[in-house]
Amino acid sequence: MVRTTPPRPLDVLATIPGLVDFARTTTRLHPRRGTPSATDSSIGGPLLWPADEPWPICTAPYRDQRHLPVDEAFATTYLDARKARLRRETLTPEQEAVLDDPRVNDGNVSVRCTNGEWELRWHESTGHTTPNALIPIAQLYAADAPTITFPTGRDLLQILWCPLDHTNIPGQRYYAGPPVHLFWRTAADIGAVLADPPGPHAFDDRFYLPTACVLHPEQVLEYQYCDLLPDGLREQVREADEDWEDEYDLRYQYDLSIAPGCKAGGWASWHLTDPWGQTCSTCDADFDLLVGFDSSEWDGIVSWKPVEDDADDRDAQCPTGLTHGRWGEMRIFVCSADVTHPFQLNIQ
């Protein structure tokens, strides 16, 4: 079924013609739950994976969440001790004893009470006891994603990851999430297809296991993130934003510039952190957005809701079951000169 993004509620070029030089087209993937095949573009669907090629695995250290039941006295003393330390107050002997307890992992823990049961929770770096099979996240055929550049002679992109939080991934700065692997292929060269790929033995099903979704690709025009525009144009946007918000209850960042949801190509939003300006480590070229996996297709920004969808349809709004960070978006950036150069990951 077709998914259609409504026209933007107002024409930003009529007010700021200079934005025409900072327009870029993205492909909103519009994933919706279904049963894709290996010959379809999909999120969380089967891959056109060669039967004679080993399935990729992960052996890198990952962040494992630990849970340790404790009694209420220990938990409340620990919380009081942490507060006292923050306030630079003198600790009681009981508080000092709790903070010295090896169970609190040097203080990098949280304390939770669920249905009257207290426990300590923390993340601990650990290794896979046996290699962990990667899982399919997305498969994109070039015909369905014309807004990204494929290597010469390739027409199929496959994205897999290990479904656990990892840190200190080589080449990735300030990133804590699943390690991503990209495979660029020529579909016509794939003969027999692997029918039963292995599954992971360790995973976080709350965040990183996608629900199988068919895609309904649609090309949509976007405009560059405001803080990355030239100074004069940025000031024009900020001045116009005041009028747009007062008169129409619309904002450039949310309603008029960058589409939410899972998408391929286009512009990236930097609403959580300052814009990230790192360049390719191989050739010093700028990075472009390859794919973004968003936790929601339109979240509270209903102006981006496809006309065919119901605003109250939770399966349409959050079809993939993926959650990144605090209900954010995981983005893959590739070198603008050569997409096969090392890529970068970021969560907003």
Side-chain angles (χ1 to χ4, degrees):
M1 180 179 178
V2 172
R3 289 297 188 278
T4 310
T5 299
R8 292 305 79 216
L10 58 85
D11 183 2
V12 297
L13 292 182
T15 304
I16 311 174
L19 283 172
V20 69
D21 295 329
F22 297 90
R24 183 176 286 186
T25 303
T26 187
T27 297
R28 296 192 73 187
L29 298 176
H30 295 310
R32 297 297 182 269
R33 297 179 183 185
T35 53
S37 73
T39 57
D40 295 323
S41 292
S42 67
I43 288 179
L47 302 183
L48 197 73
W49 191 272
D52 59 354
E53 183 174 325
W55 188 261
I57 57 174
C58 179
T59 58
Y62 66 92
R63 296 174 67 200
D64 190 19
Q65 188 174 73
R66 303 293 189 180
H67 303 256
L68 179 68
V70 293
D71 58 44
E72 182 176 359
F74 185 94
T76 54
T77 302
Y78 171 75
L79 290 174
D80 290 342
R82 291 294 301 275
K83 292 176 183 177
R85 176 174 283 180
L86 288 172
R87 295 168 183 164
R88 298 185 178 181
E89 298 173 352
T90 301
L91 301 181
T92 67
E94 292 79 13
Q95 291 171 341
E96 289 181 343
V98 164
L99 292 181
D100 288 338
D101 192 299
R103 290 179 294 177
V104 305
N105 193 35
D106 296 326
N108 297 317
V109 302
S110 61
V111 177
R112 302 287 179 88
C113 181
T114 305
N115 298 324
E117 300 293 329
W118 291 84
E119 66 178 8
L120 302 176
R121 296 184 181 183
W122 71 96
H123 284 97
E124 184 174 90
S125 182
T126 185
H128 293 293
T129 53
T130 58
N132 204 35
L134 304 187
I135 62 171
I137 298 303
Q139 176 167 270
L140 296 176
Y141 286 86
D144 293 324
T147 48
I148 61 177
T149 300
F150 283 71
T152 302
R154 307 295 174 88
D155 61 2
L156 179 62
L157 168 62
Q158 295 171 332
I159 303 173
L160 299 90
W161 69 39
C162 180
L164 290 164
D165 275 326
H166 290 59
T167 56
N168 299 321
I169 301 173
Q172 305 301 318
R173 298 174 61 195
Y174 316 121
Y175 176 79
V180 171
H181 298 255
L182 305 182
F183 296 85
W184 302 93
R185 302 187 185 278
T186 303
D189 292 345
I190 300 174
V193 177
L194 183 64
D196 189 22
H201 63 82
F203 53 85
D204 192 331
D205 58 357
R206 300 167 298 166
F207 306 121
Y208 301 137
L209 292 185
T211 300
C213 290
V214 296
L215 305 183
H216 307 85
E218 177 200 21
Q219 280 70 57
V220 175
L221 192 65
E222 297 184 315
Y223 298 98
Q224 174 65 293
Y225 185 67
C226 183
D227 287 353
L228 292 176
L229 293 170
D231 291 347
L233 208 54
R234 183 170 63 248
E235 290 307 312
Q236 290 183 52
V237 169
R238 288 175 175 169
E239 291 174 6
D241 236 3
E242 295 180 6
D243 295 333
W244 292 334
E245 185 172 18
D246 290 342
E247 188 170 354
Y248 306 106
D249 194 26
L250 299 172
R251 295 296 301 273
Y252 178 82
Q253 175 177 311
Y254 301 108
D255 299 281
L256 306 174
S257 59
I258 298 176
C262 297
K263 64 183 189 178
W267 294 116
S269 173
W270 297 95
H271 54 276
L272 184 62
T273 66
D274 291 333
W276 168 71
Q278 191 175 358
T279 55
C280 177
S281 60
T282 300
C283 69
D284 207 35
D286 291 336
F287 278 104
D288 283 338
L289 178 66
L290 178 69
V291 179
F293 297 101
D294 209 337
S295 300
S296 170
E297 288 302 296
W298 63 81
D299 200 10
I301 313 170
V302 182
S303 69
W304 290 102
K305 179 190 70 64
V307 297
E308 295 84 1
D309 288 319
D310 188 326
D312 297 324
D313 186 345
R314 184 70 174 176
D315 286 348
Q317 187 178 10
C318 305
T320 67
L322 298 174
T323 304
H324 310 280
R326 295 182 178 180
W327 202 247
E329 177 186 7
M330 194 278 277
R331 298 95 63 81
I332 305 171
F333 292 89
V334 290
C335 173
S336 58
D338 188 337
V339 296
T340 64
H341 286 175
F343 55 88
Q344 288 287 336
L345 307 173
N346 176 271
I347 292 177
Q348 288 286 301

